[in-house]
């Protein structure tokens, strides 16, 4: 392929910033995958604190692998033209790999370890190999080849963990995840070539923002599935009806708090940033934490709807209170990325949740869920009151804001 033909793979300026139908199709797998993540956490809540922490660590490793697959696919479709057959093939292949990982996830640390690892490595190794081959003769070929080299490096601990004894799987896979994310954070450095830092990347900012908003909505959709499936499979009682209602309201509040001001301006912030790659990488980390908070909250929903009576198990508060707390903390960071400041209401809501946690153990789980919902409602009310009658704010990201700097598309 000539340099000119290879260059056609890059996303052109006239390309629509909206996600394509192919990308939305790809996201459908993650609706299922995120339910597997939350269900694995729910299954691990019945034991001791040590057992719960170990299950959180195992599930966290699997979720980080899924997130990296989704995140890099998102960057691929933001840097390359998703209407090209090669990119479409890559996205569909990544979709199949994610599906296999999701199916294997509930027993990925047991008898399905090899299936999970092989699906993950097939995407992480084959995808940059295909793109690098398609870009033959183009300067941009170096980026996928960097990803390929680091994927091969990370494959070693992944395979050692899959073939090794089960009791060593967690620490070995933690090392594997650390290798994969170290490559991402450092820009996949190679000897003599150094790193290719994301700070220097020019990407389709509005498209990237659209994708992050969609994965957040997918995580909210997963909570709706949890609420509906749990309540429909349980006996209808007044307590469960109350928990069902409060859970739905909590999900609506998460949506409201996320999209208030900052949630609508990520695309604009990326468009005017002198370093859109740096802001995009930071936003990716922030949305990882936001989605983690939403998934944790969904686990709390199922526990409360299924068991609304009696005193609250202290370990359940990790999800009932911890989920909203993680969300507020990440949303505070998101606000800083867009405006360079943090609203007191989010910090105050986070502190109130933490301070009230001991008191929640004295009552039924429904009380703890309702208390978390009241705190989120107070944050949403403070947002509405602060913005009433005021003009919309402009993005003022401290991560390279500039009215005429930067750009949206890959640099040559």
């Amino acid at each position: 392929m000539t340099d000119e033909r290879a260059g056609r793979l890059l996303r052109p300026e006239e390309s629509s910033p909206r996600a394509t139908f192919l990308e939305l199709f790809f996201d459908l797998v993650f609706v299922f995958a995120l339910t597997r993540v939350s269900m694995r956490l729910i299954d691990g809540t019945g034991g001791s604190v040590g057992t719960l922490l170990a299950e959180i660590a195992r599930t966290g490793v699997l979720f980080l692998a899924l997130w990296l697959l989704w995140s890099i696919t998102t960057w691929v479709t933001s840097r390359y033209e998703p209407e090209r057959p090669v990119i479409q093939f890559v996205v569909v292949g990544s979709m199949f790999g994610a599906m296999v990982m999701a199916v294997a996830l509930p027993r990925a640390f047991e008898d399905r370890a090899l299936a999970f690892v092989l699906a993950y490595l097939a995407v992480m190794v084959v995808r940059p190999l295909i793109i690098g081959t398609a870009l033959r003769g183009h300067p941009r070929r170096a980026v996928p080849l960097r990803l390929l080299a680091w994927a091969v490096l990370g494959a070693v601990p992944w395979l050692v963990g899959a073939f090794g004894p089960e009791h060593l799987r967690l620490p070995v896979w933690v090392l594997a995840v650390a290798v994969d994310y170290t490559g991402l954070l450092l820009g996949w450095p190679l000897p003599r070539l150094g790193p290719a830092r994301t700070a220097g990347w020019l990407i389709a900012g509005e498209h990237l923002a659209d994708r992050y908003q969609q994965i957040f909505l997918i995580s909210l959709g997963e909570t709706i599935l949890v609420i509906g499936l749990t309540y429909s499979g349980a006996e209808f009682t007044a307590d469960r009806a109350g928990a069902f209602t409060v859970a739905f309201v909590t999900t609506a509040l998460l949506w409201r708090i996320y999209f208030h001001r900052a949630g609508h301006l990520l695309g604009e912030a990326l468009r005017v940033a002198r370093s859109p790659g740096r802001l995009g990488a930071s936003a990716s980390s922030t949305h990882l934490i936001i989605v983690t908070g939403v998934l944790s909250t969904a686990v709390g929903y199922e526990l409360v709807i299924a068991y609304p009576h009696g005193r609250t198990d202290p370990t359940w508060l990790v999800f009932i209170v911890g989920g909203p707390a993680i969300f507020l903390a990440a949303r505070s960071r998101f606000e800083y990325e867009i405006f360079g400041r943090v609203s007191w209401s989010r910090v105050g809501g986070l502190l109130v949740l933490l301070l009230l946690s001991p008191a929640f153990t004295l009552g039924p789980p429904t009380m703890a869920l309702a208390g978390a919902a009241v705190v989120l409602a107070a944050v949403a009310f403070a947002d509405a009151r602060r913005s009433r009658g005021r003009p919309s704010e402009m993005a003022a990201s401290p991560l390279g804001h500039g009215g005429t700097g930067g750009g949206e598309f890959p640099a040559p």
Side-chain angles (χ1 to χ4, degrees), residues 331-352:
R331 183 55 178 76
S332 298
R333 170 176 164 150
F334 186 37
E335 184 177 18
Y336 177 79
E337 289 170 335
I338 303 301
F339 298 120
R341 55 141 174 92
V342 177
S343 300
W344 64 266
S345 58
R346 286 168 179 72
V347 177
L350 175 60
L351 292 176
V352 170

Side-chain angles (χ1 to χ4, degrees), residues 115-126:
F116 183 90
V117 167
L118 290 180
Y120 175 71
L121 293 180
V123 175
M124 300 302 287
V125 172
V126 175

